[in-house]
Amino acid sequence: DLARVLQHLVKLVQNAVPEHAAGIFLIDEETRMIQGQVTDLFDQDLSVGEGALQKALRSPASFVISSLASNPPTSGMPQGVRTQIVVPFRASPQVRGALVLRSKKAKAYSQKDGEALSAFAIQASAVIESALIHQKVIQETDGEVERDLVMAHEIMARLMPKEAPKIPGFDVASISIPAKTVGGDLLDFIFRPDDHYGFLVADASGNGIPSAL
């Protein structure tokens, strides 16, 4: 899901620069809702450096480097945070994103760093856009899919024999319980005119909708 995608992207940045604080934020321009993932070193107060973040989101530049005052320390910003780089990107037509890195060193980021992070952000935006689309499809079709699954479950149940054949000298019984709403199991009894019986047992690999199809 989207949260896991953001978490994975932040982890990639953290592995590359473990001594820096990092975060990825998404801002929905329609709902004004903000969501994101940050590393442990990143302070939780989003108001810190907010001016630089808003400036970067409005700027046509591919990245914005700014200095953050650390003396005296504020309640929102740990003492020692000195430099911030914000790399804006477009995740979807209505969702803007920003990759934010912070360092305790002054002048910690260079033009080369900005270009490398911008290249990373471009690739990350494609992954995030796919996650956003997937999330939207799930939200819009969840109710419809659930109704279709219930109907499919009823159809599958009708395909199963209601009664087992009565065969002298044998006790025959059957039951089918799919792991999910629908499954790929099929059972049937075949009655032949010469007092012979056939048993059909089929199991498509996997479970759920793919095996049912």
Side-chain angles (χ1 to χ4, degrees):
D1 58 8
L2 180 60
R4 289 185 179 180
V5 168
L6 295 178
Q7 189 176 34
H8 175 68
L9 293 172
V10 167
K11 190 173 182 179
L12 290 177
V13 177
Q14 184 179 31
N15 290 340
V17 284
E19 71 280 7
H20 295 242
I24 293 182
F25 303 96
L26 300 179
I27 303 173
D28 191 313
E29 295 179 319
E30 192 172 289
T31 64
R32 309 307 299 174
M33 187 173 72
I34 299 177
Q35 57 183 317
Q37 290 286 333
V38 299
T39 62
D40 294 337
L41 295 176
F42 204 99
D43 59 83
Q44 300 300 312
D45 189 349
L46 294 183
S47 64
V48 176
E50 183 179 2
L53 176 59
Q54 295 298 331
K55 179 182 177 182
L57 291 174
R58 292 192 301 266
S59 172
S62 56
F63 59 89
V64 174
I65 300 174
S66 57
S67 298
L68 301 177
S70 59
N71 289 312
T74 67
S75 59
M77 183 171 61
Q79 186 174 11
V81 176
R82 302 291 299 280
T83 315
Q84 173 176 273
I85 182 170
V86 180
V87 182
F89 59 88
R90 174 66 71 173
S92 78
Q94 72 179 54
V95 178
R96 288 182 177 271
L99 170 62
V100 182
L101 267 73
R102 292 175 178 171
S103 173
K104 294 182 179 180
K105 298 179 180 178
K107 299 181 180 179
Y109 304 111
S110 64
Q111 177 82 16
K112 187 176 180 180
D113 295 327
E115 292 171 354
L117 290 171
S118 295
F120 174 81
I122 291 173
Q123 296 181 17
S125 65
V127 178
I128 293 172
E129 183 179 24
S130 296
L132 286 169
I133 293 172
H134 180 67
Q135 185 182 65
K136 186 175 182 179
V137 168
I138 290 177
Q139 291 173 347
E140 292 182 351
T141 62
D142 190 42
E144 183 179 348
V145 169
E146 187 174 351
R147 289 192 298 271
D148 290 346
L149 285 175
V150 171
M151 185 178 296
H153 175 76
E154 293 177 356
I155 294 173
M156 292 291 293
R158 292 171 189 168
L159 293 176
M160 298 292 181
K162 293 182 174 59
E163 295 181 359
K166 293 179 173 56
I167 304 175
F170 296 91
D171 292 328
V172 181
S174 67
I175 187 172
S176 176
I177 304 176
K180 298 184 178 180
T181 308
V182 293
D185 300 329
L186 182 63
L187 172 68
D188 199 7
F189 301 113
I190 302 171
F191 299 87
R192 297 180 58 84
D194 54 357
D195 291 332
H196 284 70
Y197 298 87
F199 296 84
L200 171 64
V201 179
D203 181 14
S205 61
N207 54 59
I209 297 174
S211 58
L213 293 174

